[in-house]
Amino acid sequence: MKLSIVVPVFNEADNILLLLNEITQAMQDAEAYEIIFVDDASTDNSAQVFAEALHEIPTLRVLKHSRTSGQSRAVYTGVKAARYATIATLDGDGQNDPADIPRLYQTLIAKQSLEPNLVMVAGWRQHRHDSAWRLFSSKFANTVRASLLGDNTPDTGCGLKVFVRDLFLSLPYFDHMHRFLPALVLRTGGQVISEPVNHRSRVKGQSKYGTLDRLSAGIIDLFGVMWLQRRARRTDVTEIKRDE
């Protein structure tokens, strides 16, 4: 297993060390891996926590934005800097379980032998530990998105995903694109499958993204992705060989 794990964070100082230790434990049998935290210009004491962690964890890399740019830009920054061909992403709040990463990776590798176009395994959160309002808004958003985009993904809001790096970097970038990754992958002809993953309560800190903020941005982006889908053109390419 060779894997780059990308974690976008903003003001998650209280969760960094715990999450780092969990990722390290989950990856102890990996052939090679790296952990890339992308600090989206945090204003808490994340910098101090990272400075100490860098001395203790050799697989850790830390990239810092000069200004807050959003989760999608943080994910893109980490993927672009990654050294390995396969990427795992998870949220920095500790609600995704790093123990699920090896299983999603093995699922991707095993099923690629049968489905060469498979390029992403998306986490599907089970028994979610969120407020009733957040659960309702998430279910509503997933229903609307799935009906309009046809991405056949029950939980695009899950930050835990494993995918092919080169494919991700070929996708059209825009703010909030991380919420539409399955639809963007399908647009290229790639295949996405969903796998059940664990979901946990947030232990420390609070969410940095409000429901209304996500909703307003999501509506605009939804129509943008629909526009991209309608203008996608795919074709098979065959190289004509020179006669010997």
Side-chain angles (χ1 to χ4, degrees), residues 120-226:
M120 176 177 288
V121 178
W124 180 4
R125 292 169 290 185
Q126 306 293 297
H127 311 295
R128 289 182 58 177
H129 295 270
D130 285 322
S131 66
W133 170 248
R134 190 162 186 176
L135 287 171
F136 167 78
S137 61
S138 177
K139 184 175 182 179
F140 175 78
N142 277 316
T143 300
V144 171
R145 187 210 66 259
S147 64
L148 294 178
L149 300 182
D151 58 16
N152 195 33
T153 303
D155 186 14
T156 61
C158 180
L160 183 52
K161 296 179 175 69
V162 175
F163 52 83
V164 176
R165 176 180 181 270
D166 287 349
L167 183 281
F168 176 89
L169 293 177
S170 73
L171 299 177
Y173 173 81
F174 55 91
D175 198 15
H176 306 294
M177 71 172 289
H178 66 280
R179 299 192 183 103
F180 299 94
L181 284 178
L184 294 172
V185 169
L186 292 173
R187 175 180 176 271
T188 70
Q191 185 178 350
V192 180
I193 61 173
S194 297
E195 284 289 317
V197 295
N198 189 26
H199 188 247
R200 309 181 296 189
S201 300
R202 175 186 269 274
V203 177
K204 298 180 180 180
Q206 59 185 1
S207 175
K208 311 303 185 297
Y209 306 101
T211 301
L212 294 180
D213 294 335
R214 290 196 303 269
L215 179 60
S216 60
I219 292 173
I220 297 172
D221 294 333
L222 179 61
F223 286 108
V225 175
M226 292 172 63

Side-chain angles (χ1 to χ4, degrees), residues 29-75:
D29 294 328
E31 178 182 354
Y33 73 97
E34 62 180 352
I35 307 169
I36 304 175
F37 271 73
V38 183
D39 184 354
D40 194 26
S42 295
T43 56
D44 60 3
N45 66 328
S46 292
Q48 180 180 348
V49 175
F50 281 131
E52 296 173 359
L54 282 167
H55 288 289
E56 300 176 3
I57 303 177
T59 55
L60 174 63
R61 299 170 62 193
V62 179
L63 308 176
K64 184 176 177 62
H65 286 169
S66 61
R67 61 181 180 181
T68 303
S69 303
Q71 187 171 348
S72 284
R73 173 53 68 179
V75 170

Side-chain angles (χ1 to χ4, degrees), residues 86-105:
T86 307
I87 305 292
T89 61
L90 70 161
D91 292 337
D93 58 11
Q95 290 194 264
N96 297 142
D97 189 347
D100 285 316
I101 293 176
R103 177 171 56 84
L104 296 191
Y105 176 88

